[in-house]
Amino acid sequence: MTTEETADTKEFQLPRSRVANERLHALIPGGAHTYAKGDDQYPEHLAPVISHGRGAHVWDIDGNRYIEYGSGLRSVSLGHAHPRVNEAARREIDRGGNFVRPSMVEAEAAERFLATVPTAEMVKFAKNGSDVTTAAVRLARAVTGRPRVAICGDQPFFSVDDWFIGTTPMPAGIPAATTELTVSFPYGDLAATEELLTRYQDEIACLILEPAGHTEPPPGYLAGLRELADRHGCVLVFDEMISGFRWSEAGAQGLYGVVPDLSTFGKALGNGFAVSALGGRRALMERGGLRHPHERVFLLSTTHGAETHSLAAAMAVQSTYVEEGITARLHTLGERLAAGVRGAASSAGVGEHVVVRGRASNLVFATLDEYGQPSQEYRTLFLRQLLAGGVLAPSFVVSSALDDTDIDRTVDVVAEACAVYRKALDAGDPTPWLGGRPVKPVFRPLV
C-alpha cells in the first residue's frame, strides 16, 4: 500500500472507492445492502469498495490488499472462496438451483443440520436471519395465543421486521401499536425477567435473546431462563446467528447445555452463501406444517429458501467444521490476536482505552476517550490507522483462514495505531488525526 507520513498519521487515498461509493449511494439507499457495511461506518472517504477476496485477505478496487476481520459480518468464518464450500455449491449450480418441488438436497441438508444441532428436532431453511427470527416469533405467538414478544434489551439486533425495529432509534414507518407489543428484559438478570413475565402475566409469547455475547452467561442464567419460560408458559428462543458454530458446532446451546424451544442460525452456516435456519422442538415446528390437527401457521414460505447450492454450501461448512476442528481454531487464533492487541495497547500506554472484548472466536474492540467513555472520534482515529496499515477491521472477529503471520502483522499495525492514539490522548483532542467527520453509529434517527 502506498502511504505518506504527515502529521503523525498515515495519509492515503482511495480515489476509485470514493467514486464507487458515490455511485452506490445514487443507486442503493444507504449505499450498501447492510447498514453495518455503510461508508458512514468508516473514516471519511476511506471506505474501501471490495474487488475480491481470498482466504483472510480482500482487495479493494484501488488495488490495496487488506487482512480482513469481521469475517463478512461474521458470515465468512472459513475465509473467502473456501475451495470445499465453493465446489459443493458449484456442483449443485450445474444441476439446477431451484425446482417446482423439493429436491433431495433439502432432506440431506436437514439431516446434516439436525445431526450438527441435536437439540433441534425439525428445521426449516431460509435466506437471512430476519426470516427465521420473525418466523420464531410468529410461531411462538401462534402456539401460545399471546401477543407480546420479550427481547433482550442489551443486545443490538434481532430482525429487520417491525416487531424489533420499532424498538430502535430508527422506528420511522412502524405503527406504535406494533412497537407496544415488544417489551425488553436485561441480560443476566433473572429477577428482572421474572418481574416482566409477572407484570405481563399470560401475555408474553416468547423470550428471545442471544444466549451469549461479549461476556459469558452468569452461572445458572440460561438454565434459569429455561425454568422461567416453562413456569410462565412462554417459548424460549435462542438467536444463534453469531454464536452458532463460533461457540461450538451446535452453538451456545451445545456449549452450555441448555435447550431452547426454538433457535435460529445463519451467518457462519453458509460461509457467505445465503442460508439461515429455524430449528426447534417438533411439537412447535410441526405447527408450521401439514400433519397436525391445529390451526395452521404460515411459518416460512420462501421461493429461494431451499436453493440447492446454498444448502450444499451449508453442508460443506458443517462437515468442514466437524472434520477440521474449526471452532477450536477460531478460539486459538482469537486468543493470539487478543493477547497481541492487549500487549500492544499496554506498551503504548493506551491499555485502558483500546479494549478487546468478547469470546476469542468473536472479538470486538472498544475505543475509549480520556474519561474512559466510548468515543466515535477515537474509533475513527483507530480505524484510519488500521486501514493505512492494510488491516480492515470493524471488529476483530477472526476467520479460520488467518495464519500466525496475519495475526503478527495485525498486531504490528495495532501497535502503530496505538502510538498515534497515545499522542491524541496527550493532546486532549483526536480531531487532527480524523481526516474528516467521525464514524457514526448504525442506529441513529437523523443524518
Side-chain angles (χ1 to χ4, degrees):
M1 179 180 300
T2 301
T3 62
E4 181 179 339
E5 297 285 349
T6 59
D8 294 323
T9 189
K10 294 177 178 178
E11 296 295 340
F12 71 105
Q13 303 295 321
L14 300 178
R16 292 180 181 175
S17 291
R18 184 173 178 176
V19 170
N21 275 310
E22 291 304 311
R23 179 181 175 189
L24 286 163
H25 276 282
L27 300 168
I28 301 164
H33 285 88
T34 309
Y35 283 113
K37 295 182 181 182
D39 59 358
D40 60 343
Q41 303 300 294
Y42 292 84
E44 191 167 12
H45 306 316
L46 295 183
V49 174
I50 303 302
S51 165
H52 62 286
R54 180 75 60 181
H57 297 156
V58 296
W59 287 257
D60 67 24
I61 61 174
D62 290 281
N64 301 306
R65 185 178 78 164
Y66 304 87
I67 304 168
E68 188 203 53
Y69 294 90
S71 303
L73 302 183
R74 300 177 174 85
S75 67
V76 189
S77 59
L78 300 178
H80 298 288
H82 189 276
R84 183 172 182 178
V85 177
N86 281 6
E87 180 55 32
R90 190 176 295 111
R91 282 197 304 269
E92 293 304 326
I93 289 174
D94 289 342
R95 290 161 50 85
N98 210 330
F99 311 108
V100 76
R101 281 281 294 148
S103 73
M104 278 306 297
V105 175
E106 295 178 47
E108 293 163 359
E111 289 169 348
R112 168 66 70 177
F113 179 86
L114 296 173
T116 304
V117 187
T119 46
E121 296 173 328
M122 298 186 81
V123 62
K124 197 153 190 182
F125 295 110
K127 300 310 283 183
N128 61 67
S130 296
D131 292 343
V132 289
T133 52
T134 292
V137 166
R138 180 182 300 162
L139 189 55
R141 282 172 162 163
V143 169
T144 62
R146 299 174 179 180
R148 295 188 188 273
V149 177
I151 64 172
C152 183
D154 300 321
Q155 295 170 341
F157 192 79
F158 290 102
S159 175
V160 299
D161 294 307
D162 289 2
W163 62 269
F164 173 71
I165 293 297
T167 70
T168 74
M170 293 174 65
I174 300 170
T178 298
T179 302
E180 289 165 2
L181 292 176
T182 301
V183 295
S184 67
F185 60 92
Y187 187 83
D189 192 334
L190 289 174
T193 305
E194 183 164 25
E195 190 280 327
L196 184 74
L197 290 166
T198 301
R199 188 192 328 158
Y200 295 105
Q201 187 69 40
D202 299 327
E203 293 184 42
I204 293 178
C206 64
L207 301 172
I208 182 168
L209 74 158
E210 296 178 33
H214 300 325
T215 59
E216 288 292 291
Y221 174 61
L222 296 179
L225 282 181
R226 175 72 276 173
E227 191 276 329
L228 282 177
D230 290 340
R231 179 147 49 89
H232 287 269
C234 61
V235 175
L236 181 61
V237 183
F238 282 176
D239 178 344
E240 299 255 30
M241 289 296 147
I242 292 173
S243 52
F245 297 95
R246 287 189 175 271
W247 267 242
S248 78
E249 288 84 2
Q253 60 194 278
L255 181 64
Y256 302 122
V258 176
V259 181
D261 298 300
L262 300 171
S263 55
T264 60
F265 287 74
K267 291 190 182 289
L269 179 58
N271 201 53
F273 285 91
V275 59
S276 61
L278 171 65
R281 294 197 291 117
R282 182 176 299 276
L284 275 67
M285 294 289 290
E286 189 61 89
R287 292 289 286 271
L290 305 177
R291 298 181 176 182
H292 63 85
H294 308 286
E295 181 181 5
R296 290 182 60 198
V297 178
F298 196 89
L299 183 56
L300 274 167
S301 184
T302 53
T303 298
H304 302 291
E307 284 178 327
T308 57
H309 59 275
S310 291
L311 295 183
M315 285 190 281
V317 167
Q318 291 166 87
S319 296
T320 302
Y321 259 80
V322 172
E323 294 169 16
E324 298 183 16
I326 296 297
T327 302
R329 174 165 175 76
L330 294 175
H331 282 86
T332 298
L333 288 165
E335 287 164 358
R336 182 184 179 97
L337 176 64
V341 171
R342 288 170 181 145
S346 178
S347 295
V350 296
E352 296 182 354
H353 301 275
V354 176
V355 182
V356 180
R357 297 172 175 163
R359 194 170 183 85
S361 61
N362 187 54
L363 296 172
V364 297
F365 58 82
T367 50
L368 310 181
D369 64 16
E370 58 268 35
Y371 305 108
Q373 297 301 308
S375 169
Q376 294 297 102
E377 288 77 13
Y378 278 98
R379 179 175 175 85
T380 307
L381 177 156
F382 192 62
L383 288 175
R384 186 179 181 84
Q385 297 299 316
L386 295 185
L387 286 165
V391 175
L392 179 59
S395 69
F396 281 142
V397 174
V398 298
S399 75
S400 66
L402 291 159
D403 60 26
D404 289 348
T405 300
D406 294 320
I407 301 292
D408 292 344
R409 172 57 186 163
T410 301
V411 172
D412 289 343
V413 173
V414 167
E416 295 172 2
C418 286
V420 177
Y421 205 116
R422 181 68 260 173
K423 292 179 180 180
L425 287 170
D426 291 341
D429 181 12
T431 303
W433 290 273
L434 300 190
R437 54 106 183 109
V439 298
K440 299 180 180 181
V442 169
F443 285 112
R444 60 184 192 275
L446 301 172
V447 174

